[in-house]
Amino acid sequence: MTNTEIAAQDHAEGLKQDARKAGARVGLTSDEIIINGGRPLTGRIEVRGAKNLATKAMVAALLGQTPSVLRNVPNISDVRVVAGLLALHGVLITRGEDPGEWRLDPSNVERAHHADIDAHAGSSRIPILFCGPLLHRLGEAFIPDLGGCRIGDRPIDFHLDALRKFGAIVEKLPSGISLSAPNGLTGANIELPYPSVGATEQVLLTSVLAEGQTELRNAAIEPEIIDLICILQKMGAIITVEPNRVIFIEGVKELRGYDHAAIFDRNEAASWAAAALATKGDVFVGGAQQEEMMTFLNVFRKVGGDFDVHDDGIRFWHPGGALKPVTIETDVHPGFMTDWQQPLVVALTQAEGVSTIHETVYENRFGFTDALNEMGANIVVYKDGLADEARRVKRREFEQAAVITGPTPLTGSDIEVPDLRGGFSHLIAALTASGQTKVTNLGIISRGYENFIEKLRLLGADFVFEG
Ligand code: EPU
């Protein structure tokens, strides 16, 4: 075996171990499921707080002088990773009577050993958001090598550049990155090269206690970011969201704890909606709301799905007849989210004609299509992006496009989950396919989908799970 092959094997083994740990953390006892597909999903499930808000809100609690209470927290492994990291830094975490209620007391924030941080961070990318709060609280911070989904390179240059502008000293070590702020942090003028979600959160979490004003241009304005701003405002921060992706932050001397219910998980909601469409089913997604999903709802309708918006959720169903192809470009908010494309691709394999999905946010986010092709889909991935002068966000080097020609019947196969969203799309493919599909490496899915096995059961899926 060559060194490259050994490295690839080690990498794959590392991913499996991460997935097993992730599954174990939320009570998954088995790493595989056998699905007998071809049955429509029908019934009602609930989605709770967004993974991409709850984890950040937990970090924000570090900034308060008094305890915070976060409600609607989903039982997913990414939340547990962040809870472990907070506990390592002295935050006392207690759970309320409602399992989704977490009380976070940062009265005794303390330094943690680098090796412990590294061991706890697992495959999460959230540790980078600890930088600003820890620099304020302790004058130093350490970030281990970051994980997250393997969907291409996920650099942290925007984060480090912003932290340097606030006055942090950044030192790269073999084990990670060490930061210090011997002279405190001061407000800065920052323009992001791209409206990055994480870098915008980094600036928010750092600027609120920095001395003076911060102006952030080309900021991300995802609903989860607005919810984080609401949390920071409850804590005493002064933040103004201006038109054209500009955010002003006036630093304050002190913040208090917050009491907040996390915004619903629109990525999970869209995933179940796509599952309803692909399986010709009818699923009521309790907790889903219209405003944050408008762009997805338009596409869902164009493809031929139908939905009804209710006060307590949205019902998604396949009204019969042929599904229609679409052309979509993933984008920052309010565009079509990158996390929505993978589940939708499965439904598009059942549409009559040629659909194109242009991925502009991440590189290598079409790896999951290999397994769909093995199941009978006709998806060709082009390494180059599509040219379009009308784009709001500048075209990036690594963009890819997938062309899906349908309809193609899917048949059962053995699939190994590659990443969070791709993994959920594999579950949908297994539910849509005729025959039996074994899906392994399930733990990755529990990073972001709460109780998904139970939800499959509630929706009448036919499967064997030894858990
Ligand atoms: N980027 C850089 N440098 C940086 C930061 C980002 O080049 O310093 C690039 C990334 O490589 C990527 C693009 O900017 O190509 C967008 O990244 P962004 O920072 O917006 O994403 P993120 O904060 O790392 C969050 C979510 C993702 C979601 C994206 C886009 C969390 C924990 N993750 O990632 O969610 O896809 O925003 O909305 O909030 C998921 O939930 O499965 C997931 C991947």
Side-chain angles (χ1 to χ4, degrees), residues 9-171:
Q9 205 175 53
D10 286 351
H11 179 69
E13 187 49 37
L15 283 186
K16 277 187 208 157
Q17 281 177 14
D18 277 355
R20 274 196 287 274
K21 276 191 244 159
R25 274 194 290 266
V26 290
L28 276 191
T29 46
S30 171
D31 210 25
E32 66 178 49
I33 184 170
I34 294 169
I35 295 180
N36 296 308
R39 272 187 171 208
L41 290 187
T42 54
R44 174 175 178 139
I45 48 105
E46 304 295 322
V47 294
R48 280 210 285 175
K51 159 174 104 54
N52 293 346
L53 177 275
T55 45
K56 290 58 175 297
M58 292 168 76
V59 179
L62 273 173
L63 293 164
Q65 292 298 318
T66 52
S68 290
V69 175
L70 183 62
R71 288 171 283 113
N72 207 22
V73 179
N75 181 21
I76 53 174
S77 60
D78 269 17
V79 160
R80 287 174 187 269
V81 168
V82 178
L85 286 170
L86 286 170
L88 273 181
H89 286 95
V91 177
L92 185 65
I93 302 178
T94 42
R95 307 279 292 275
E97 259 172 47
D98 174 342
E101 184 176 306
W102 294 52
R103 185 172 183 277
L104 305 128
D105 183 350
S107 311
N108 296 307
V109 172
E110 59 188 12
R111 289 176 175 74
H113 290 295
H114 292 188
D116 289 341
I117 300 176
D118 201 14
H120 262 76
S123 57
S124 170
R125 282 179 59 81
I126 309 295
I128 194 164
L129 295 179
F130 278 63
C131 291
L134 287 182
L135 285 171
H136 284 301
R137 292 297 300 250
L138 303 172
E140 62 177 53
F142 170 75
I143 327 163
D145 266 349
L146 293 176
C149 278
R150 284 3 185 227
I151 49 181
D153 267 350
R154 291 179 71 179
I156 53 170
D157 49 337
F158 305 165
H159 294 254
L160 297 182
D161 288 349
L163 287 161
R164 283 194 192 97
K165 289 206 166 128
F166 284 110
I169 296 169
V170 178
E171 195 190 346

Side-chain angles (χ1 to χ4, degrees), residues 51-53 55-56 78 125-126 149 151 153-160 194-199 201 220 222 266-267 332 337-339 360-363 365 396 398 420-421 447:
K51 159 174 104 54
N52 293 346
L53 177 275
T55 45
K56 290 58 175 297
D78 269 17
R125 282 179 59 81
I126 309 295
C149 278
I151 49 181
D153 267 350
R154 291 179 71 179
I156 53 170
D157 49 337
F158 305 165
H159 294 254
L160 297 182
Y194 177 84
S196 148
V197 168
E201 292 159 345
E222 268 58 11
R266 64 201 171 109
N267 294 342
V332 294
M337 276 201 84
T338 167
D339 299 292
T360 77
V361 180
Y362 288 115
E363 53 194 309
R365 228 185 177 186
R396 304 205 290 162
F398 55 71
L420 176 62
R421 306 292 167 199
R447 280 194 44 218

Side-chain angles (χ1 to χ4, degrees), residues 34-42 271-281 283 318 323 342-351 371-372 375-377 407-413 415 423-439 456 459-463:
I34 294 169
I35 295 180
N36 296 308
R39 272 187 171 208
L41 290 187
T42 54
S271 300
W272 289 112
L277 193 60
T279 63
K280 301 197 166 121
V283 174
H318 187 310
L323 295 184
Q342 302 87 336
L344 193 73
V345 162
V346 184
L348 293 177
T349 66
Q350 305 309 304
L372 302 189
M375 295 174 81
T408 47
L410 302 180
T411 45
S413 177
I415 322 181
F424 198 85
S425 83
H426 288 170
L427 284 184
I428 302 177
L431 293 159
T432 308
S434 57
Q436 217 172 59
T437 299
K438 181 161 90 175
V439 187
L456 287 175
L459 297 176
D462 180 3
F463 62 88

Side-chain angles (χ1 to χ4, degrees), residues 280-294:
K280 301 197 166 121
D282 187 338
V283 174
F284 190 99
V285 181
Q289 285 166 28
Q290 180 177 19
E291 194 179 322
E292 292 76 7
M293 296 193 72
M294 270 185 175

Side-chain angles (χ1 to χ4, degrees), residues 195 216-221 242-247 332-334 392:
L216 175 63
R217 290 184 305 282
N218 208 20
I221 48 164
E242 301 271 333
N244 300 323
R245 302 190 174 277
V246 177
I247 303 180
V332 294
H333 188 75
R392 266 178 303 129

